[in-house]
Amino acid sequence: MKITLTHLLGLEGVSKQDITTILDTADTFKNVLKRPIPKVPTMKGKTIVNLFFEPSTRTRFSFELAEKRLSADTVNFSASSSSVLKGETLKDTIKNIEAMRIDFVVMRHGAPGSAKYLSECVNASVINAGDGAHEHPTQGLLDMMTIREKVGRIEGLNVTIIGDIKHSRVARSNIHGLISMGAHVGVCGPATLLPRDIRELGVTVYPSLEDALADSDVINVLRIQLERQKGGQFPSLREYRTLFGITGERLQHAKKGITVLHPGPMNRGVEIDSDVADGNASVILDQVTNGLAVRMAVLYLLAGGRSKMEGDSNAQ
Ligand code: CP
């Protein structure tokens, strides 16, 4: 099975079939990564530029590693050491890089819509590694892979996203992806950090964390973006923790068998306590492991690869 996408700009509008194909292919690549030599020649001869205008640990490292595991040639670009500092525009930057004949651009940028804009400027295939508060599609995919792996399915689950929904690209990608896959998605957080029109996306808004925890098979705990506090959008970290922090004590009253995700980086002791983050319900490090397999799958499928489902041994 092939996917119908030429770029991965977000999960909004991506079909259940395409998401399933990506997750199935990621499962296959996860097995490749367990081999003594965890590398395949699938993308030999392809050139990929990793263009990061914002900080990243997990996403950047796992894209770089995924590209190496697929035998692609890679170039890493960091805005802090480039001619962007001399005033060069995004379009000129990428046009110059593209003149060196690249096949893929992986980009993280602070401006919502920047990945789409880039896809309209270049012939290369564009993968959005996070564009402002808009989307972070590979994070949504790795979250879904982790849920499917832990629980065995996505369809019919109650998945609640907790925290700063308004400024979160992770929340938007999760909402779009999970709804396409048939999950019931909830959100819970301070009223100032929930978009006014959030219900239009088809989610349930939980009035209290206790209600959310009692109902949820899975919770995805978002990082509190500390800079938002300066804007007065929540009173104090202490109050946030009191109302919305995921503590071991709170988890004891949650739905039996609840699974806890967090995209990282975590503020331990604020949105999540260490006994939860490092406890049995947590799949936070599984998310990181799965991120590598998901990014290999996305690159492979965007390059025209087929999932193993139709018996193409190239995926193995
Ligand atoms: N989850 C995530 O995007 O982490 P990084 O910012 O470290 O890439």
Side-chain angles (χ1 to χ4, degrees):
M1 183 71 71
K2 285 186 162 202
I3 55 172
T4 58
L5 308 166
T6 47
H7 307 282
L8 182 64
L9 306 178
L11 294 186
E12 185 174 7
V14 178
S15 68
K16 181 176 183 178
Q17 181 60 67
D18 279 348
I19 292 174
T20 304
T21 301
I22 294 169
L23 300 187
D24 290 344
T25 308
D27 285 344
T28 305
F29 279 124
K30 192 165 178 180
N31 287 328
V32 168
L33 293 168
K34 290 176 188 157
R35 293 180 187 167
I37 301 175
K39 193 161 176 158
V40 285
T42 313
M43 291 189 72
K44 215 167 188 161
K46 299 281 184 199
T47 305
I48 305 172
V49 175
N50 299 308
L51 204 55
F52 278 72
F53 291 88
E54 278 192 336
S56 167
T57 300
R58 282 146 288 267
T59 311
R60 182 174 182 153
F61 282 9
S62 70
F63 265 115
E64 287 180 24
L65 196 52
E67 292 154 8
K68 288 187 197 331
R69 297 293 188 234
L70 292 167
S71 306
D73 296 317
T74 63
V75 184
N76 297 318
F77 169 98
S78 165
S80 59
S81 58
S82 73
S83 291
V84 168
L85 288 188
K86 299 178 202 163
E88 191 165 39
T89 64
L90 174 60
K91 185 171 180 178
D92 282 339
T93 301
I94 195 60
K95 279 286 182 197
N96 277 275
I97 294 173
E98 196 183 36
M100 299 176 213
R101 300 172 72 93
I102 55 164
D103 300 295
F104 287 89
V105 186
V106 175
M107 185 174 78
R108 171 168 290 188
H109 196 285
S114 50
K116 183 168 190 315
Y117 171 72
L118 182 63
S119 73
E120 288 160 1
C121 299
V122 297
N123 293 319
S125 190
V126 175
I127 301 174
N128 180 7
D131 60 334
H134 175 229
E135 281 224 37
H136 189 353
T138 54
Q139 180 70 45
L141 290 164
L142 75 88
D143 289 346
M144 288 190 282
M145 178 179 178
T146 309
I147 293 168
R148 197 173 77 156
E149 186 177 80
K150 176 79 194 303
V151 186
R153 66 192 163 93
I154 297 173
E155 189 156 6
L157 292 181
N158 290 339
V159 182
T160 303
I161 306 166
I162 296 169
D164 179 0
I165 311 298
K166 191 174 178 178
H167 302 99
S168 174
R169 53 195 174 208
V170 175
R172 294 181 72 83
S173 287
N174 264 271
I175 290 169
H176 292 306
L178 286 163
I179 288 176
S180 293
M181 295 300 284
H184 307 292
V185 181
V187 296
C188 181
T192 48
L193 297 178
L194 295 177
R196 263 194 214 148
D197 55 356
I198 189 71
R199 284 185 180 82
E200 288 171 20
L201 295 182
V203 305
T204 301
V205 178
Y206 284 102
S208 76
L209 184 58
E210 284 65 29
D211 290 339
L213 291 176
D215 254 13
S216 303
D217 301 294
V218 177
I219 54 170
N220 198 343
V221 185
L222 300 177
R223 177 177 75 91
I224 271 297
Q225 302 182 28
L226 298 174
E227 59 276 20
R228 305 291 167 207
Q229 201 197 341
K230 295 189 193 97
Q233 297 190 338
F234 62 96
S236 71
L237 294 182
R238 184 187 291 246
E239 182 167 331
Y240 184 86
R241 182 177 187 280
T242 303
L243 292 173
F244 297 103
I246 307 300
T247 64
E249 205 278 322
R250 275 206 162 112
L251 219 55
Q252 284 179 10
H253 304 289
K255 190 169 181 180
K256 197 167 179 293
I258 193 168
T259 297
V260 179
L261 288 84
H262 190 305
M266 289 183 275
N267 298 302
R268 288 174 183 262
V270 182
E271 74 265 6
I272 190 166
D273 276 6
S274 285
D275 56 346
V276 177
D278 305 327
N280 290 336
S282 166
V283 288
I284 293 170
L285 289 178
D286 300 298
Q287 289 173 265
V288 179
T289 304
N290 290 341
L292 177 55
V294 155
R295 286 166 181 132
M296 287 175 78
V298 167
L299 286 161
Y300 166 77
L301 291 165
L302 285 177
R306 290 170 181 274
S307 80
K308 190 188 155 206
M309 286 161 68
E310 284 192 349
D312 187 336
S313 59
N314 281 341
Q316 299 175 49

